[in-house]
């Protein structure tokens, strides 16, 4: 795989590039948004790691322009902006995953590996798993054509799971995405929302889509 690392901090950019190369990836590093857009638009890269704060053109502008051009290359956002609004904006803008700084390189690598295994059509504005559809623009959910009403938190959790179909997502990752705070092992807030999703999404259909992997987390899959 050939990766494009877009990071205005030279130290961080070179660190990520070197780490990827040690894992036998081909990686290039650039430090500004305009050059990143030019290179990414050429179609020579399989995946991009993108910072949001960039000179010339910020990361969200780069991301949205790529998606507007129909470029479906997976994009992993890597940034110090850890507020939930930044995560939501990035994901709605077309990002496939999100890692905040400071970060462990092993986690970054694992997410790159996971993205490299995903079908490219997952960057579409409608997420589909079996007969379940989530429209990212209209913020609607349907199953077999029937509308399903969800609360904002239920929608956020389902969206996160459907962006990673077939991949088990831990309670920690779900909590940090949907509630924007570090996981408290004593809370059952994720389990409560998952149970509500099951009642709305799976109760009326024989094929169950929301699954529990005991001791690990949750996954949406046929």
């Amino acid at each position: 795989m050939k990766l494009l690392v877009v990071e205005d901090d030279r130290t961080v950019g070179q660190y990520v590039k070197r780490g990827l190369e040690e894992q036998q990836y081909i990686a290039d590093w650039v430090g500004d948004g305009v050059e990143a857009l030019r290179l990414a638009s050429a179609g020579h890269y399989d995946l991009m790691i993108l910072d949001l704060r960039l000179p010339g053109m910020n990361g969200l502008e780069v991301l949205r322009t790529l998606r507007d051009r129909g470029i479906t290359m997976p994009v992993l956002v890597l940034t110090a902006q850890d507020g939930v609004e930044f995560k939501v904006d990035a994901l709605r803008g077309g990002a496939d995953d999100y890692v905040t700084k400071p970060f462990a390189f092993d986690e970054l690598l694992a997410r790159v590996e996971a993205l490299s295994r995903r079908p490219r059509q997952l960057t579409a504005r409608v997420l589909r798993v079996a007969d379940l559809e989530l429209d990212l623009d209209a913020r609607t959910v349907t199953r077999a054509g029937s509308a399903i009403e969800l609360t904002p938190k239920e929608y956020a959790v389902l969206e996160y799971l459907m962006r990673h179909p077939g991949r088990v997502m831990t309670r920690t990752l779900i909590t940090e995405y949907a509630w924007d705070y570090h996981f408290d092992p004593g809370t059952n807030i994720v389990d409560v929302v998952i149970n509500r999703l099951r009642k709305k999404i799976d109760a009326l259909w024989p094929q169950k889509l929301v699954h529990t992997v005991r001791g690990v987390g949750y996954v949406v899959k046929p």
Side-chain angles (χ1 to χ4, degrees), residues 147-190:
I148 298 173
E149 296 295 328
L150 299 180
T151 67
K153 290 303 182 188
E154 291 166 355
Y155 180 93
V157 171
L158 181 63
E159 177 188 343
Y160 189 61
L161 292 174
M162 289 185 69
R163 285 184 179 275
H164 306 83
R167 177 180 170 190
V168 181
M169 308 308 293
T170 67
R171 290 175 177 82
T172 302
L173 292 175
I174 295 171
T175 304
E176 290 182 349
Y177 173 76
W179 284 270
D180 193 32
Y181 61 77
H182 294 294
F183 180 64
D184 176 1
T187 183
N188 67 342
I189 192 168
V190 175

Side-chain angles (χ1 to χ4, degrees), residues 61-72:
E61 291 174 327
V62 172
L63 180 58
R64 288 168 178 159
T65 302
L66 287 174
R67 297 312 186 216
D68 288 344
R69 292 177 179 179
I71 297 171
T72 60

